[in-house]
Amino acid sequence: MSADAGTTSRLTAAFRKGRPALVAYVLAGYPDRAASLEALRAAARGGADVIELGVPYGDPLADGPVIAAAAKVAREQEGGFGLVHALQVAEAFVQDPGVPEGPPVVAMTYLNPLMRLGLSDAAARMRAAGVAGAIVPDMPPEAAGPWLRVSGGIDTVFLAAPTSTDERLEVIAGASAGFVYCVSATGVTGERESLALGLSDLVGRIRTHTSLPVAVGFGVGTAEQAAQVAAVADGVIVGSAIVRRQEDPAEVERFVRTLAVAVSGG
Amino acid sequence: MTDVLLPSAELAYSTPDAQGFYGPYGGTFVPETVVPALGELAAAYAEAIADPAFLDELIYLLRDYVGRPSPLYRADRLAEAVGLGAVYLKREDLNHTGAHKINNTIGQCLLAKRMGKKRVIAETGAGQHGVATATTAALMGLECAVFMGVEDIRRQALNVYKMRLLGAEVVPVSDGSGTLADAVTAALRHWVERVEDTFYVIGSALGPHPYPQMVRDFQSVIGSEILGQMEEKEIGRVDAVVACVGGGSNAIGTFYPFLRDVPAGERPLLIGAEAAGLGLDTDKHGAALTKGSPGVLHGFYSYLLQDDAGNPLEAYSISAGLDYPGVGPEHSYLKDEGLVRYEGVTDAEALEAFALLTRTEGIIPAIESSHALALLPRLAGELGSDAVVVVTVSGRGDKDMDIVREAGLGVG
């Protein structure tokens, strides 16, 4: 549910450090459970302000080839790997983030794994794991009623896209808690050579509807791009470029550090 | 032909609601990028079907280009062989391009043109929807790309070649099992990327709202014609109406006018044949309604073959058009409401029915349609030897020659 007026959620606070924030996406279970936990800690050490923890899913409509392929590897490990396992990894990370004050974790999952578990049970498990927020890319606000009714204590982050009308931005911003996820370009997640024109306009349009932080994702893959996005947004989300490095936690830490420096204007 | 789309005034059965729900099923569960486009599509569709000029053009093309109405043929030798009083075949196999799919592609491509889109994309399993879309795109001067799983490309080489001849680009999809579900995902993802200039022509009565409704409406010409032809031919009583269900477009097109226009007490049994593949007690089938559970896939909520973590499972059927892990949302609603019955038909039963129709009537049906035909002997047992049954033969079997030959269906 939306944060009460006058209070700032832990997730929102992570974007209010007086500089743009870095949101690092790590895919749970890739290449395996232990390595993904190490990657989370590496991202925290590298300076991620928020962790977006991806849940491997078999039909990732909004994701590009890097995350889709990694999700397949994760799901195919012995015993399978889904939402329940991802939340176990989240809990392990929250309890021992490897840095003095761990960044809040936002779970990114498609809707069906939530439904399969039962929305209420899924929300309870998220809370128990210490997850601060949820991003459900195939759940537009109009379809979110059943989830919002049971997900108290978890900030549900909705996506705004370049194709969203002002009318829809109002609905999306109004329904969001924690922050608003601004999709930089039409299409799926993944690195792009250049960032879409009009990004700053889109962020500006979203800001007219909300005081929540606006973080930009989809297509941000380099420190240079991260710096460009940081100049117009409250947060920069990097996914595929981190997942590509996830097999090597040291490389994740190094890469996240360069992103964090770029985002904070260093 | 005049009541192609317009519902009758008194609606006993009225679906979906304004948000695209059929009971709990259907809806719009897609990334935000395409939500506005779906809203535009729903508005454009509502406007189009209220416009006599749009309907006139649709009806004209269905008649003079597709060759509608398709015959309702009384198959006496088949009826005798299966032990029924009469069997009527709704001959969608005689449509231009050889299947019911073109009823829908004509409608959607007309809508695409009306919306000013110059490019259409489609997914295809057996290739029939791909060929129908490529054909319609050629007719209307639209650019066309068809997403097709690599396994289906292998199984349906002839249709792939046809699509290319027609000027369409066939985009191979190697994700997952390389079949229909993967093609739908690939097409949806592509649409998310190119939503501003591209119209996605979905081939079955599934996907996010308004697709299930739109496809049903365009396909309901099948059932409307059956009702008219029953009157013309003075077929007083029909005991059952049967169609195969993959995504379920020919079935919903067949059943919907019976649900909408025929009072419940006078309505024949409506039965959908799902792919039972190697058997419903195996994990090699495509029977989402019989063996699945509700979930979200490809933007809508419906019965679905899924694992414990909510991942879609790979469906299997000898027929490329039926191996889909989900099913159109209205079928899920109709199942729960008890308005339509759904039964599984195995590969072997479908092949047997394929051979039977071929030998008794000289009609070679699609392997998909053969699943519906396979219910006839069961119905003879259930309803008796006087019973009258209508079967929608959704397509012709030319595309299936290799599969049938591989399955060892004998010549001799």
Side-chain angles (χ1 to χ4, degrees), chain A residues 7-134:
Chain A
T7 68
T8 299
S9 77
R10 191 155 56 98
L11 189 51
T12 302
F15 291 88
R16 299 283 191 238
K17 297 177 181 169
R19 55 167 177 78
L22 173 66
V23 181
Y25 176 104
V26 170
L27 183 70
Y30 177 74
D32 59 38
R33 179 196 177 99
S36 67
L37 181 57
E38 279 319 302
L40 284 172
R41 290 176 179 144
R45 283 195 303 273
D49 299 295
V50 175
I51 295 289
E52 183 183 348
L53 184 65
V55 176
Y57 180 56
D59 190 54
L61 263 189
D63 283 303
V66 170
I67 292 176
K72 188 163 189 276
V73 171
R75 288 194 305 114
E76 286 173 356
Q77 64 189 283
E78 204 175 315
F81 195 96
L83 178 58
V84 169
H85 311 93
L87 292 178
Q88 289 166 356
V89 170
E91 185 170 12
F93 172 71
V94 169
Q95 289 184 353
D96 179 11
V99 291
E101 210 170 319
V105 175
V106 183
M108 188 287 202
T109 177
Y110 288 85
L111 180 56
N112 204 45
L114 296 176
M115 287 183 141
R116 186 67 167 155
L117 206 52
L119 296 180
S120 191
D121 187 16
R125 285 174 191 251
M126 279 192 194
R127 279 187 292 264
V131 166

Side-chain angles (χ1 to χ4, degrees), chain B residues 35-161:
Chain B
V35 172
L38 289 165
E40 282 167 33
L41 178 61
Y45 174 64
E47 191 193 56
I49 59 165
D51 178 357
F54 179 83
L55 291 179
D56 282 351
E57 194 171 2
L58 176 63
I59 289 165
Y60 163 73
L61 287 171
L62 289 178
R63 187 186 62 216
D64 287 7
Y65 185 75
V66 176
R68 303 207 70 91
S70 67
L72 185 68
Y73 164 72
R74 200 178 76 195
D76 288 341
R77 278 172 46 79
L78 175 66
E80 194 187 338
V82 297
L84 281 163
V87 173
Y88 290 89
L89 303 179
K90 181 58 175 166
R91 300 288 309 276
E92 293 301 301
D93 60 310
L94 292 179
N95 291 340
H96 181 43
T97 72
H100 69 291
K101 294 292 186 186
I102 198 160
N103 302 330
N104 169 51
T105 60
I106 295 273
Q108 287 198 46
C109 288
L110 278 178
L111 188 58
K113 269 181 66 179
R114 187 183 168 95
M115 293 175 74
K117 309 279 183 183
K118 306 248 182 295
R119 180 170 183 272
V120 295
I121 58 168
E123 82 295 337
T124 199
Q128 293 303 95
H129 174 59
V131 168
T133 306
T135 299
T136 312
L139 169 71
M140 299 187 189
L142 295 163
E143 196 187 319
C144 178
V146 179
F147 292 81
M148 189 170 188
V150 289
E151 171 62 15
D152 288 337
I153 287 179
R154 184 190 69 76
R155 288 194 285 189
Q156 304 288 347
L158 191 63
N159 273 340
V160 173
Y161 186 65

Side-chain angles (χ1 to χ4, degrees), chain A residues 58-60 63 112 163-164 168, chain B residues 32-33 185 189 296 306 310-311:
Chain A
D59 190 54
D63 283 303
N112 204 45
T163 49
S164 305
R168 287 197 56 74
Chain B
E32 171 60 22
T33 307
T185 298
R189 286 154 71 118
V296 166
Q306 56 181 327
N311 298 290

